[in-house]
Amino acid sequence: VNYSSWIADYLEDNSQFDVKPKLSPGDVKNRLQALPPDEGENFENSIRDFENIIAPNLTHWQSPNFHAYFNSNTSYESVLGELLAAGLNVNVFSWQTSPAGTELEEVVMGWLRRMIALPDTFEGVIQDTASSASLVSFLTAREKYSDFRINESGFGDFTGFRIYCSEEAHSSIEKGVKIAGFGKNNLVKIPTDEKFAMKPAKLREAIQKDISAGMKPLCVVSTIGTTGSTAVDPVKETGKICREFKLWHHVDAAHAGTAMLLPEYRYLLEGIENVDTFVFNPHKWMFTNFDFSAYFVRDKEALIRTFEIMPEYLKTSVDNRVNNFRDWGIPLGRRFRALKMWFVIRSMGVKGLQDKIRGHIELACELKKKIESHKRLELLAPMEFNTICFRYVPDKSAREEEIDNANIELLKKLNDTGEVFLSHTRLKGKYTIRIVVGQTNTSREHTEKLWKLIRKFT
Ligand SMILES: Cc1ncc(COP(=O)(O)O)c(C=O)c1O
């Protein structure tokens, strides 16, 4: 089998697989050899098992009927870039270890910055995930505040740091706060308004309260496109508060950052010039396979001072003239990720990318209108981008718990068909079904099929 053509065929049509297989935990493991073979086997055996045991028992993220979580979409160009990067297997930790890898990363990050209209005061670096990028941001904030002394001698007297985000912020923020050593209890979750966006007045109140109690407010996280409902925190107003209290401001736009390719969304970036760090994930919605997280910083020196290491064996004669990206994040070893993004941007062009993203948003709008006009369906959040949050209300007099149960059942019925895969969240306590329209090949045919299934079960 020619496996590049297997991948191409798969990306073109993977309808032979259920989007989400019907399995119980352990079903796959039970079919795999318990022990590693002593002698090497014919590779055909591994391929056969891949086809029979692995491929049908995956959840198929590249199905156009995958509408769960946030998509992690891809493209032929991206896969080819990944394949070449795997074959080359260069390590992009310093300029010397990969000159073209380093310089292509500089160019691609410059392109991305321009494409989403970030000011050119930002410099970019690729991180593996938004979770890592947010952690890197917190560590930089911590070091800048302590004049890099926590790195030197631990927290010592630096206690009582407080970090703020909305109650809708992604769980990676809490994880980052824990790992950065602030303690989960020092993450203050600010209430949100009826659109699930952080309330600036409540943020200010929380900061003032903490200052009066002798705590040290350090950092605020704004989200553009929360995971539950893609709500947008008010970056500009939040930024004003950050400036007033001299706080670090990190923006997590993991999913929705890609929408900033479209000029009509850029009003959401108002005030971005004062933000300290910004992350978005082309590996979600920008046709670039996992992993590729674009992290932008305003103060490159602070970032590097936080992470720089210079053992003798890593020194090179050009260190004062180049970017050594190992010093821009946590791991030393770094994959050659710029290549796939470069291929994607060059093949699709900015216009091609904009058309695809607008296409997803238009399909989501059509589906949203249908849901809105259905008597027993209810939207639970405004649709900012390509994510619809709704629920089924079988009977207006039903109790909340009964409505929740009806939706748990509806989601199960939809997913059990194997024809679509959706996921859920809770918004203001209500069980919410989410539909994300963002896989590369999702077209009207697929959203109509989903709509038919929703109608069938409601
Ligand atoms: C708003 C937001 N931030 C962060 C993340 C985490 O992204 P990653 O998997 O790249 O760490 C997600 C994932 O969906 C997200 O929606």
Side-chain angles (χ1 to χ4, degrees), residues 348-413:
M348 297 179 73
V350 176
K351 286 213 179 81
L353 287 163
Q354 288 173 329
D355 288 349
K356 283 289 277 184
I357 299 301
R358 277 202 190 98
H360 285 155
I361 293 169
E362 278 163 23
L363 283 178
C365 277
E366 280 175 18
L367 189 53
K368 183 198 90 164
K369 280 191 193 128
K370 288 183 174 153
I371 290 175
E372 232 169 356
S373 63
H374 188 299
K375 273 195 291 235
R376 285 190 295 277
L377 299 178
E378 177 182 57
L379 290 174
L380 291 179
M383 194 187 83
E384 297 279 359
F385 307 97
N386 62 338
T387 303
I388 307 163
C389 295
F390 77 102
R391 71 173 180 173
Y392 169 46
V393 184
D395 169 0
K396 288 237 158 66
S397 60
R399 286 179 296 119
E400 280 299 314
E401 196 188 337
E402 287 165 347
I403 300 177
D404 281 358
N405 288 338
N407 283 280
I408 293 168
E409 202 178 310
L410 170 60
L411 183 63
K412 184 170 179 333
K413 279 185 187 160

Side-chain angles (χ1 to χ4, degrees), residues 69-70 128-132 134 168-173 223-228 252-255 279 281 283-284 290 293:
Y69 309 106
F70 282 134
D128 52 5
T129 58
S131 305
S132 301
S134 294
E168 291 289 324
H170 188 259
S171 55
S172 57
I173 301 306
T223 309
I224 297 183
T226 57
T227 316
D252 175 4
H255 167 72
V279 64
N281 280 356
H283 72 220
K284 281 186 160 54
F290 192 79
S293 193

Side-chain angles (χ1 to χ4, degrees), residues 50-69:
F50 165 75
E51 288 191 345
N52 294 334
I53 307 174
I54 306 297
N57 294 318
L58 293 167
T59 297
H60 288 277
W61 286 68
Q62 298 322 310
S63 161
N65 300 303
F66 183 105
H67 301 289
Y69 309 106

Side-chain angles (χ1 to χ4, degrees), residues 191-203:
T192 55
D193 62 17
E194 68 295 343
K195 291 170 145 185
F196 305 98
M198 180 155 64
K199 286 181 173 167
K202 293 283 178 199
L203 171 66

Side-chain angles (χ1 to χ4, degrees), residues 36 140 153 170 187 232 310 316 362:
T140 313
S153 29
H170 188 259
L187 178 64
V232 179
M310 200 43 100
T316 74
E362 278 163 23

